Amino acid sequence: MPALSPTMEEGNIVKWLKKEGETVNAGDPLCEIETDKAVITMESSDDGILAKILVEEGSKNIRLGSLIALLVEEGQDWKQVEIPADCSDPSSLAPPALVLTSTPAGPSVSTPPKMEHQPGKLQVRLSPAARNILETHGLDPSNITPSGPRGIFTKEDALKLLQEKQKGKSSELKPVVSPAPPQPTAIPSASQAAAVTSAYLRPALPPVSTPGQPAALGTFTEIPASNIRRVIAKRLTESKTTIPHAYAAADCDIDAILKLRKEWAKDDIKVSVNDFIIKATAVTLKQMPDVNVTWNGEAFRQLQSIDISIAVATDRGLITPIIKDVAAKGIKEIAATAKALTKKARDGKLLPEEYQGGSFSISNLGMFGVSDFTAVINPPQTCILAVGRARPELKIVEDEEGNEKLQQHQLMTVTLSSDGRVVDDELASKFLKTLKANLENPIQLALC
């Protein structure tokens, strides 16, 4: 399993493009792999014959460096290829989501399951820190009453249990016998659950719904997260907990943009408001290079090229393909590039170099009717622009004779999220002021 992106730790085999026994040349596509960013085609680095596929299609969470196939030189008997002993069982490379172990000869202390449903036994809710301590030291949480809110077994409870074990009180702990594979059974009724003797003061979470049976009231179905969504969750958490976000917003009059789009449409030139926003942002970054920076944890880097990431929602999650060197492109070229990258993103066909890097991000939710919102910075970038919908508002203006009158305008709110370590409030305010001026003068943008 190769590393197809810098942040990739494991991958899923989506589809094999070659069969066992087929001749393979260097550069031929071997299989499609889902990484933490997209579905990427893995190419062969050598000539030969695909002798054995060790990891079948649909296998998930294959760790980097795991053997997924064997290639032999032409002329060798590919049917007699020797499979390495540690890779003969493909399941060892991609452990399933739930591993059931057989009952051992004698009782042994085992790690508690996260939320495994056992009929007749209520579950305990564990905090992440408590679960880690319990699994590391093989402790049974049912020996003490949880002290957390709503019956949650906390880190302090786990440390107390560990302290008792270290003081020689491990004899008081009840051994947990590894259960045999559970048989399908009906979810216990409320009366049966009430009759179960429990050491907890509060009821635990309801059981997972049983496949093939109607869902009982209060049950849930656990849906595994894809590689992409796990990475998104990790990076969002890192961003919000490590970057001091600062926010500033401005209302932009886009009447001139809408008028220019209408005129261009007569000549069959189709561009979106978002294309103007991308161009205006690039021009503003060129005028204010102090905002076109990234932060590496110790220092910031001022980038020469203005590469703008555009947020695209896909079935697999959010991904940000990059339009390179935007300041040097015209609006028509930006529109064509954005359209092509958006399609590749939704088809899962982006190449690593098409979504890695970037100096500034734009997220537009205007097409969903959102008036304004704040976005999360995509590190190592230091800014992201959140764009809302266009909305009509009345505004007092003066006519040619100097008389005041009410006139309707289309306003759009843009909100800048900036890293306070690099882009301070004054710089962010100046950026928005310049961006607003550029958006309200689209003719000048078209000439840049």
Side-chain angles (χ1 to χ4, degrees), residues 48-59:
I49 298 175
L50 183 59
K52 184 67 176 178
I53 294 176
L54 299 176
V55 181
E56 299 296 330
E57 291 182 2
S59 299

Side-chain angles (χ1 to χ4, degrees), residues 346-358:
R346 288 174 176 159
D347 293 341
K349 301 297 184 181
L350 285 175
L351 300 175
E353 58 268 23
E354 291 175 323
Y355 57 78
Q356 294 173 8

Side-chain angles (χ1 to χ4, degrees), residues 62-341:
I62 315 300
R63 299 295 299 178
L64 293 185
S66 299
L67 200 60
I68 60 175
L70 295 175
L71 202 68
V72 299
E73 295 181 357
E74 292 188 27
Q76 290 185 343
D77 188 356
W78 62 272
K79 294 182 180 180
Q80 301 299 323
V81 66
E82 182 179 349
I83 302 176
D86 57 344
C87 297
S88 58
D89 183 10
S91 62
S92 65
L93 300 175
L98 178 63
V99 179
L100 299 177
T101 56
S102 59
T103 305
S108 62
V109 177
S110 64
T111 59
K114 293 181 179 179
M115 278 305 299
E116 181 178 335
H117 172 57
Q118 298 177 4
K121 182 178 179 180
L122 294 179
Q123 307 298 309
V124 58
R125 293 189 290 177
L126 305 175
S127 71
R131 178 179 291 114
N132 182 52
I133 295 173
L134 294 175
E135 291 179 349
T136 301
H137 298 279
L139 303 176
D140 179 10
S142 63
N143 286 282
I144 66 173
T145 301
S147 62
R150 299 182 299 279
I152 296 178
F153 193 95
T154 65
K155 175 183 176 181
E156 288 71 23
D157 297 329
L159 291 175
K160 181 179 178 181
L161 200 59
L162 178 61
Q163 188 177 15
E164 290 181 358
K165 180 180 178 181
Q166 293 174 344
K167 287 182 179 180
K169 296 183 179 181
S170 57
S171 58
E172 299 177 8
L173 301 180
K174 297 185 294 182
V176 181
V177 180
S178 299
Q183 300 297 322
T185 180
I187 297 175
S189 64
S191 59
Q192 290 173 325
V196 177
T197 302
S198 173
Y200 310 127
L201 297 179
R202 299 176 183 270
L205 286 177
V208 178
S209 57
T210 305
Q213 296 185 7
L217 182 64
T219 62
F220 62 89
T221 301
E222 187 169 296
I223 302 174
S226 65
N227 288 349
I228 295 176
R229 290 200 179 275
R230 285 201 300 270
V231 171
I232 290 173
K234 179 181 178 181
R235 287 180 62 81
L236 285 176
T237 302
E238 289 176 352
S239 177
K240 288 295 287 184
T241 55
T242 62
I243 297 178
H245 283 60
Y247 307 101
D251 288 333
C252 304
D253 188 333
I254 61 170
D255 281 342
I257 289 179
L258 298 178
K259 181 179 179 181
L260 185 58
R261 282 187 68 219
K262 190 174 181 180
E263 293 176 358
W264 284 4
K266 296 177 182 178
D267 298 327
D268 202 28
I269 300 176
K270 298 180 180 179
V271 294
S272 68
V273 173
N274 201 53
D275 299 326
F276 281 95
I277 295 170
I278 295 172
K279 178 62 177 179
T281 302
V283 171
T284 306
L285 289 171
K286 187 175 181 179
Q287 295 169 336
M288 303 182 63
D290 289 345
V291 183
N292 192 47
V293 296
T294 59
W295 174 259
N296 64 5
E298 296 181 356
F300 60 88
R301 297 177 179 177
Q302 191 173 101
L303 306 179
Q304 301 302 316
S305 178
I306 298 173
D307 303 329
I308 295 183
S309 305
I310 54 173
V312 177
T314 71
D315 294 337
R316 303 177 184 88
L318 193 70
I319 192 167
T320 52
I322 301 168
I323 304 177
K324 303 289 183 68
D325 198 14
V326 185
K329 290 180 168 64
I331 296 179
K332 287 177 60 179
E333 186 179 358
I334 291 173
T337 305
K339 184 177 180 180
L341 287 173

Side-chain angles (χ1 to χ4, degrees), residues 318-429:
L318 193 70
I319 192 167
T320 52
I322 301 168
I323 304 177
K324 303 289 183 68
D325 198 14
V326 185
K329 290 180 168 64
I331 296 179
K332 287 177 60 179
E333 186 179 358
I334 291 173
T337 305
K339 184 177 180 180
L341 287 173
T342 299
K343 185 178 187 306
K344 291 184 71 174
R346 288 174 176 159
D347 293 341
K349 301 297 184 181
L350 285 175
L351 300 175
E353 58 268 23
E354 291 175 323
Y355 57 78
Q356 294 173 8
S359 58
F360 191 99
S361 290
I362 296 176
S363 179
N364 191 338
L365 295 182
M367 66 285 295
F368 299 108
V370 177
S371 297
D372 61 87
F373 67 104
T374 56
V376 181
I377 297 172
N378 182 24
Q381 297 177 15
T382 57
C383 290
I384 182 171
L385 188 72
V387 182
R389 68 180 179 89
R391 63 188 188 279
E393 287 194 9
L394 292 176
K395 184 179 179 182
I396 298 177
V397 297
E398 290 186 358
D399 57 20
E400 297 177 355
E401 299 177 356
N403 300 319
E404 292 184 345
K405 65 176 182 178
L406 284 176
Q407 185 173 329
Q408 181 173 285
H409 291 266
Q410 293 290 329
L411 297 184
M412 176 184 70
T413 300
V414 293
T415 305
L416 181 69
S417 303
S418 57
D419 186 337
R421 297 170 299 184
V422 182
V423 180
D424 58 28
D425 292 342
E426 181 182 5
L427 185 58
S429 300

